[in-house]
Amino acid sequence: MEIVRRIPRMKEIVRDWHRQGRTVGFVPTMGYLHEGHLSLVRESKRMADHTVVSIFVNPLQFGPHEDYDRYPRDLDRDVEILSREGVDVLFYPSAEDMYPPGYRTYVEVEGLSQKWEGASRPGHFRGVATVVCKLFNIVQPDYAFFGQKDAQQFVIIRRMVEDLNMNVEVIQLPIVRESDGLAMSSRNVYLSPEERAIAPRLYQALQLGQRLVQEEGERDAAKVVEAVRSFLAQEPRIRVDYVALVDPQDLEPVETIRGRALLAAAIYLGSTRLIDNVILNVK
Ligand code: PAF
């Protein structure tokens, strides 16, 4: 596996692959890899001739009081994992190269970026859309892979790709969970042992909502949201940020559940913010 630090070298490699008629799969990450990332890498390897993974802890998507400085990093371990998976290139640019002095251009996906996660993390999706747009321009992938845990991020990136006529197919893959149901996330390392024991309640609450809809026939979104909230409220150390039942295309709240809907939630456990979601499928 080649580790590429400089943008021109990354462009050169991909230009050569495309000249030879090869397809390129791309998995953008912020590193500290887990099985969720690896499911994306494996799908990329299945679909494309070459796979590029990027590791870049993007300062632009962190708020001033968020965890940019303490975000977990372990490059040696990530390199070992990605080499073992047979990744062709690890793209590992510096913040100075991605945002050199004088940098002024940002991508804003209006409307979709301000609600739910965006309401609690102002500017977050502007940072995500900007860096993903830049990474797509550098890596020029045919396919790019994202996890369903960041469901709103995927909706925003899909919109950006369509609106800006980008030549990439974006693909979302299911959430990978620990054996007790907790969605895998690099941020799970922040949890104390006590918090880690409580954390699976988030998924349990969403599963309760899913059962209400799919097994008990509840169609009133407000009742489902209320049931999820009450379940979470039983644990005093959980602080609910939001519970949302939305249309998976435009993230607008639904009143009556028909077809596919997304039940998503964000909680604080101590100082750690956890997000998770499930898809509801009503025939
Ligand atoms: O999902 C992530 O890890 C990040 O938001 C992404 C897509 C790599 C952009 O920094």
Side-chain angles (χ1 to χ4, degrees), residues 217-278:
E218 183 61 75
R219 295 292 176 265
D220 183 338
K223 288 198 178 139
V224 177
V225 167
E226 192 38 49
V228 172
R229 279 187 169 277
S230 321
F231 182 91
L232 291 168
Q234 286 166 25
E235 171 49 63
R237 275 168 292 185
I238 290 178
R239 187 160 62 81
V240 176
D241 184 357
Y242 65 80
V243 177
L245 212 160
V246 299
D247 182 315
Q249 299 301 318
D250 61 11
L251 306 174
E252 284 299 313
V254 297
E255 277 179 22
T256 306
I257 305 159
R258 288 188 209 94
R260 271 163 74 82
L262 182 76
L263 176 58
I267 61 168
Y268 290 94
L269 203 43
S271 59
T272 306
R273 193 163 180 282
L274 299 177
I275 59 171
D276 200 350
N277 65 76
V278 293

Side-chain angles (χ1 to χ4, degrees), residues 28-30 56 58 61 128 131-132 146 150 153:
T29 81
M30 298 205 299
F56 180 59
N58 173 33
Q61 69 189 74
V128 170
V131 81
V132 172
F146 298 87
D150 297 297
Q153 167 171 282

Side-chain angles (χ1 to χ4, degrees), residues 1 22 56 61 75 86 97 105 125 146 156 201 211 224 248 253 263 269:
M1 181 176 74
R22 304 300 197 109
F56 180 59
Q61 69 189 74
L75 184 65
D97 280 353
T105 306
F125 287 120
F146 298 87
I156 288 168
R201 285 186 183 237
R211 272 199 305 277
V224 177
L263 176 58
L269 203 43

Side-chain angles (χ1 to χ4, degrees), residues 30 58 60-62 99 107 109 113 121 123-135 146 150 152-154 156-157 160:
M30 298 205 299
N58 173 33
L60 215 59
Q61 69 189 74
F62 290 80
Y99 305 115
V107 179
V109 181
S113 299
R121 308 185 64 191
H124 170 66
F125 287 120
R126 178 183 191 249
V128 170
T130 301
V131 81
V132 172
C133 176
K134 282 176 68 71
L135 290 167
F146 298 87
D150 297 297
Q152 184 172 3
Q153 167 171 282
F154 184 75
I156 288 168
I157 291 170
M160 174 186 79

